[in-house]
């Protein structure tokens, strides 16, 4: 079974590598990155690059889990991810339009998200439930750290305000995902939590 790649490391790598906007770009992406880099501080640049990918990923992965998860609680959580991130996308896009800049590319994180979507498409049954929920816990932890970093160190008032009004939603989503991971809504005991493949009768 394909396991969803862990996002925590990818988010951390993208955060550190993007701190000063010093990322190798293709020629087609260079102009976009240059425009953003000339307008935004390094922290804001990195924040926009990651946030611009995160919310659409949550919508896409949520739609898959909403269709394929085996429990109503996971499907309900996935539906929440879809409906709560659509206004986040709109909010960030409105800020970028007012600034007349496009979000810079973030190829490392895009690759991680693409791999997770591919895994969700391939997964079925209990494996999908476990991988989606574990991936959500990792994602929400990394996303909360990203938004806190922007609130503390960002230079752009609009982006900081966006991070401040979005962070409570992320923290709520993290709490919900952690409850699922503890087994409170996965059809397993709270002590068992999310079983490993061997414990639920499957193999890697």
């Amino acid at each position: 079974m394909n396991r969803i790649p862990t996002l925590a490391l990818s988010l951390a790598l993208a955060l550190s590598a993007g701190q000063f906007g010093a990322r190798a770009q293709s020629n087609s992406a260079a102009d976009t990155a240059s425009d953003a880099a000339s307008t935004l501080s390094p922290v804001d640049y990195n924040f926009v690059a990651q946030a611009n990918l995160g919310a659409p990923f949550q919508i896409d992965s949520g739609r898959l889990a909403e269709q394929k998860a085996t429990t109503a609680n996971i499907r309900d959580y996935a539906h929440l991810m879809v409906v709560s991130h659509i206004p986040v996308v709109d909010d960030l896009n409105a800020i970028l339009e007012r600034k007349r800049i496009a979000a810079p590319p973030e190829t490392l994180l895009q690759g991680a998200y693409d791999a997770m979507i591919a895994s969700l498409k391939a997964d079925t049954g209990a494996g999908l439930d476990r991988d989606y929920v574990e991936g959500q816990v990792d994602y929400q932890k990394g996303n909360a750290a990203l938004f806190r970093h922007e609130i503390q160190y960002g230079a752009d008032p609009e982006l900081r305000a966006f991070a401040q009004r979005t962070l409570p939603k992320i923290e709520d989503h993290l709490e919900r995902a952690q409850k699922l991971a503890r087994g409170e809504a996965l059809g397993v005991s709270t002590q068992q939590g999310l079983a490993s493949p061997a414990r639920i009768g499957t193999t890697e």
Side-chain angles (χ1 to χ4, degrees):
M1 182 192 71
N2 293 328
R3 297 295 301 275
I4 285 185
T6 300
L7 269 182
L9 178 59
S10 294
L11 284 166
L13 286 172
L15 180 63
S16 60
Q19 279 297 304
F20 301 101
R23 185 179 302 284
Q25 305 287 347
S26 66
N27 289 336
S28 61
D31 289 342
T32 296
S34 178
D35 290 344
S38 64
T39 305
L40 302 174
S41 74
V43 171
D44 293 334
Y45 176 100
N46 181 67
F47 174 71
V48 169
Q50 293 195 46
N52 182 62
L53 296 179
F57 162 76
Q58 284 290 73
I59 295 170
D60 293 342
S61 61
R63 284 174 175 154
L64 284 170
E66 193 176 8
Q67 295 172 359
K68 298 178 66 177
T70 65
T71 75
N73 283 291
I74 298 178
R75 291 194 297 270
D76 288 346
Y77 172 89
H79 178 71
L80 176 64
M81 295 305 99
V82 174
V83 299
S84 65
H85 283 86
I86 290 173
V88 173
V89 171
D90 292 341
D91 195 2
L92 180 58
N93 284 341
I95 294 172
L96 297 181
E97 286 175 7
R98 285 194 295 273
K99 296 182 181 302
R100 300 191 178 191
I101 60 174
E106 177 37 85
T107 54
L108 174 65
L109 202 55
Q110 183 67 68
Y113 288 154
D114 289 346
M116 292 183 75
I117 293 295
S119 291
L120 282 177
K121 288 179 178 178
D123 274 349
T124 58
L128 179 136
D129 292 348
R130 182 187 62 250
D131 284 354
Y132 177 67
V133 171
E134 288 180 349
Q136 281 297 301
V137 171
D138 288 332
Y139 171 89
Q140 301 295 358
K141 286 180 179 178
N143 211 32
L146 173 69
F147 275 67
R148 291 188 188 107
H149 189 81
E150 172 64 23
I151 291 168
Q152 185 172 1
Y153 299 109
D156 186 277
E158 278 193 285
L159 291 173
R160 285 205 316 271
F162 165 72
Q164 287 171 334
R165 60 180 173 265
T166 306
L167 181 59
K169 298 177 185 178
I170 298 170
E171 291 172 336
D172 173 68
H173 296 165
L174 174 58
E175 182 179 355
R176 291 171 186 266
Q178 288 173 326
K179 286 181 179 179
L180 290 175
R182 290 195 295 267
E184 294 179 16
L186 289 172
V188 295
S189 70
T190 300
Q191 287 185 336
Q192 182 181 356
L194 280 168
S196 65
R199 291 167 64 188
I200 61 174
T202 64
T203 58
E204 291 288 353

